Amino acid sequence: KRIVRGLGINTPHSYAVSNDEEIDFIIDKLVYPLFVKPNSEGSSIGVEKTGVVHSINELRDRCHYIWDKLRNVAIV
């Protein structure tokens, strides 16, 4: 992302979150819909229809799935 931005290409802002407190910290910066995926998986692992979220409840549910089932940090 830093390399692409360094070339002058705009990319969406993203946040790495690993707990509910981090979601609470960024909540006022979010504009829905959002895409949520695992951080350290391959480019398509964890990328599913359920990765698109439209509300804070969906965001929390998706992040908890990534944290609990995939044992990973979530990228929002």
Side-chain angles (χ1 to χ4, degrees), residues 12-76:
H13 292 288
S14 62
Y15 304 95
V17 294
S18 57
N19 58 55
D20 283 308
E21 290 79 18
E22 291 175 350
I23 292 175
D24 293 339
F25 184 75
I26 64 168
I27 200 162
D28 62 331
K29 300 172 181 134
L30 303 177
V31 178
Y32 295 94
L34 301 168
F35 191 78
V36 185
K37 70 177 278 313
N39 180 45
S40 60
E41 297 294 342
S43 60
S44 63
I45 295 175
V47 175
E48 308 164 345
K49 287 182 182 181
T50 55
V52 178
V53 299
H54 298 89
S55 69
I56 187 62
N57 290 334
E58 289 180 5
L59 173 61
R60 288 190 194 281
D61 288 347
R62 183 65 181 164
C63 286
H64 279 270
Y65 171 78
I66 291 170
W67 301 333
D68 299 340
K69 302 291 184 201
L70 302 179
R71 303 280 185 216
N72 212 318
V73 172
I75 298 295
V76 178

